């Protein structure tokens, strides 16, 4: 019977030991060939959590990796990113038919470099695994070439230039990943516009029948859950399709509703704020002023 608690892997050396791989050439960064991985066994942990970054590209993987979104067939190369501390699991694995690589990066490797802060700004590290990056053959070759350069560098004699060279390669890798994700949002127009249509429907429903006084302000996590997406993926998708993140869409619809009530009802500003789900009228007035450059009362006076 499998253990249900996440199996913790603290270091890259621990990961190599767990997968019965040779000791890593560098303790803080490692490229693992998927063909070298030990078969997943019956005693495989139900879920795992690693205290380092993991970037994987896997082909022909027969199993499920949970970390949803529909599967795509742009190409069999699937790339996904996992941050330290994120729990993931593997189910239904049928043997080592898959190929590819896994890049492991310990946060200490990035210490005292600009990438230590910048890496936290890449939203795809918070996407779900089934929101993975699907690569064309050319894109996959580009990414794999960078991985090969990193692997060659840490297999060479380590010197004062080794880390800066590998950091530069990592920055290039992340920039390409961001470009390819934007490409993915654009090339999957039909599926993504269905998501946009469903989001707009959910947004309209949230502001219908004055339910906000009871339910409170709509939050990004609610829409992401209803659409079976991670919050960051939904925000990135909407940004590419519409130029606005999820929160901006919510605020836009909120201001529309507020304008309607200010111009067509005799409700006070406080009453409108409560009907729109705000706990404090001051928060409503502040948001309204930011979005319209007018206070609610100044806006109402235009209709007097």
């Amino acid at each position: 019977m499998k253990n249900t608690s996440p199996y913790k892997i603290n270091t890259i050396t621990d990961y190599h030991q767990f997968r019965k791989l040779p000791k890593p050439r560098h303790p803080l960064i490692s490229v693992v060939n998927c063909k070298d991985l030990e078969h997943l066994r019956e005693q495989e942990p139900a879920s795992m959590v690693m205290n380092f970054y993991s970037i994987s590209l896997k082909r022909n993987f027969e199993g499920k990796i949970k970390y949803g979104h529909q599967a795509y067939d742009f190409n069999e190369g699937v790339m996904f990113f996992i941050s330290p501390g994120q729990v993931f699991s593997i189910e239904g694995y049928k043997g080592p038919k898959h190929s590819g690589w896994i890049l492991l990066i310990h946060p200490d490797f990035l210490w005292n470099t600009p990438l230590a802060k910048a890496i936290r700004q890449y939203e795809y590290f918070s996407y779900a695994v089934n929101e993975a990056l699907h690569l064309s053959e050319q894109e996959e070759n580009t990414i794999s070439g960078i991985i090969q350069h990193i692997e060659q560098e840490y297999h060479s004699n380590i010197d004062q230039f080794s880390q800066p060279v590998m950091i530069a390669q990592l920055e290039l890798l992340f920039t390409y990943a961001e470009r390819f994700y934007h490409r993915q949002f654009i090339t999957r127009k039909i599926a993504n516009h269905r998501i946009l249509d469903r989001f707009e429907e959910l947004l309209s429903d949230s502001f219908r029948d004055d339910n906000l006084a009871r339910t409170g302000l709509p939050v990004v996590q609610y829409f992401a859950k209803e659409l079976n997406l991670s919050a960051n993926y939904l925000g990135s998708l909407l940004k590419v399709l519409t130029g606005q993140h999820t929160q901006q869409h919510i605020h836009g619809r909120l201001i529309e509703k507020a304008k309607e009530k200010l111009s067509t009802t005799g409700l006070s500003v406080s009453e409108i704020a409560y009907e729109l789900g705000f706990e404090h009228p001051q928060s409503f007035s502040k948001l309204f002023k930011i979005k319209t450059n007018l206070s609610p009362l100044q806006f109402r006076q235009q209709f007097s």
Side-chain angles (χ1 to χ4, degrees):
M1 183 176 180
K2 291 184 178 181
N3 184 7
T4 57
S5 60
Y7 183 86
K8 295 183 179 180
I9 303 177
N10 292 317
T11 68
I12 292 176
T13 299
D14 291 342
Y15 180 90
H16 275 243
Q17 292 176 344
F18 175 69
R19 290 297 180 210
K20 301 189 182 305
L21 297 167
K23 185 178 178 180
R25 295 291 297 268
H26 194 295
L28 299 179
I29 188 167
S30 179
V31 177
V32 176
N33 191 318
C34 290
K35 292 181 178 179
D36 296 333
L37 293 176
E38 171 99 342
H39 294 204
L40 301 184
R41 305 172 299 274
E42 280 298 315
Q43 63 268 33
E44 183 75 14
S47 58
M48 287 176 278
V49 58
M50 302 184 297
N51 289 334
F52 42 85
Y53 293 95
S54 170
I55 303 166
S56 304
L57 190 147
K58 297 184 179 182
R59 313 175 199 91
N60 303 318
F61 187 86
E62 296 185 15
K64 293 181 180 180
I65 302 176
K66 291 187 176 181
Y67 172 65
H69 202 18
Q70 61 183 311
Y72 292 121
D73 57 0
F74 188 82
N75 197 271
E76 62 182 11
V78 177
M79 186 177 182
F80 55 91
F81 303 76
I82 300 178
S83 293
Q86 290 180 314
V87 178
F88 69 99
S89 63
I90 300 173
E91 296 179 357
Y93 182 64
K94 299 179 181 179
K97 295 180 181 179
H98 69 289
S99 61
W101 46 259
I102 304 172
L103 172 62
L104 308 173
I105 312 162
H106 196 280
D108 287 353
F109 183 74
L110 310 177
W111 184 80
N112 208 26
T113 74
L115 194 52
K117 180 179 180 180
I119 195 171
R120 295 193 293 269
Q121 299 173 1
Y122 292 113
E123 293 183 336
Y124 46 73
F125 272 106
S126 296
Y127 293 171
V129 161
N130 43 3
E131 296 160 349
L133 178 56
H134 295 254
L135 301 173
S136 68
E137 183 177 356
Q138 181 179 352
E139 291 168 347
E140 184 177 332
N141 289 338
T142 298
I143 295 294
S144 294
I146 297 172
I147 296 300
Q148 289 172 8
H149 284 306
I150 293 173
E151 189 173 20
Q152 291 169 3
E153 185 63 34
Y154 73 70
H155 274 87
S156 303
N157 292 326
I158 302 296
D159 59 26
Q160 70 210 56
F161 298 100
S162 299
Q163 187 192 30
V165 168
M166 286 188 279
I167 290 293
Q169 292 295 318
L170 288 173
E171 290 174 333
L172 183 60
L173 171 67
F174 298 147
T175 300
Y176 271 119
E178 194 157 26
R179 167 190 273 184
F180 296 157
Y181 258 115
H182 277 246
R183 183 271 306 151
Q184 181 163 301
F185 293 142
I186 294 170
T187 56
R188 307 191 185 282
K189 288 183 179 179
I190 295 176
N192 289 339
H193 278 284
R194 285 174 181 163
I195 293 172
L196 177 58
D197 290 344
R198 177 60 179 149
F199 169 72
E200 291 289 352
E201 182 182 331
L202 290 168
L203 192 58
S204 296
D205 288 344
S206 296
F207 287 91
R208 189 173 290 130
D209 300 328
D210 293 327
N211 288 327
L212 296 179
R214 177 175 51 84
T215 62
L217 286 170
V219 294
V220 173
Q221 288 74 12
Y222 163 75
F223 297 104
K225 182 179 179 181
E226 290 296 311
L227 293 167
N228 204 27
L229 300 171
S230 64
N232 277 347
Y233 189 90
L234 175 60
S236 298
L237 175 61
L238 291 176
K239 180 67 174 178
V240 170
L241 294 179
T242 70
Q244 292 186 320
H245 285 297
T246 316
Q247 190 67 61
Q248 291 172 302
H249 278 271
I250 295 171
H251 284 167
R253 191 62 61 89
L254 189 67
I255 297 303
E256 286 180 15
K257 194 71 174 179
K259 287 180 176 179
E260 176 188 323
K261 289 179 178 293
L262 286 166
S263 60
T264 62
T265 75
L267 296 172
S268 68
V269 172
S270 294
E271 288 172 329
I272 292 174
Y274 290 129
E275 283 198 359
L276 292 177
F278 286 88
E279 292 185 12
H280 305 289
Q282 298 89 339
S283 299
F284 164 67
S285 296
K286 182 179 180 180
L287 177 64
F288 193 92
K289 181 69 178 290
I290 290 172
K291 295 297 183 180
T292 67
N293 291 321
L294 296 170
S295 71
L297 287 178
Q298 288 173 328
F299 177 84
R300 170 171 272 173
Q301 287 170 359
Q302 296 179 117
F303 299 90
S304 301

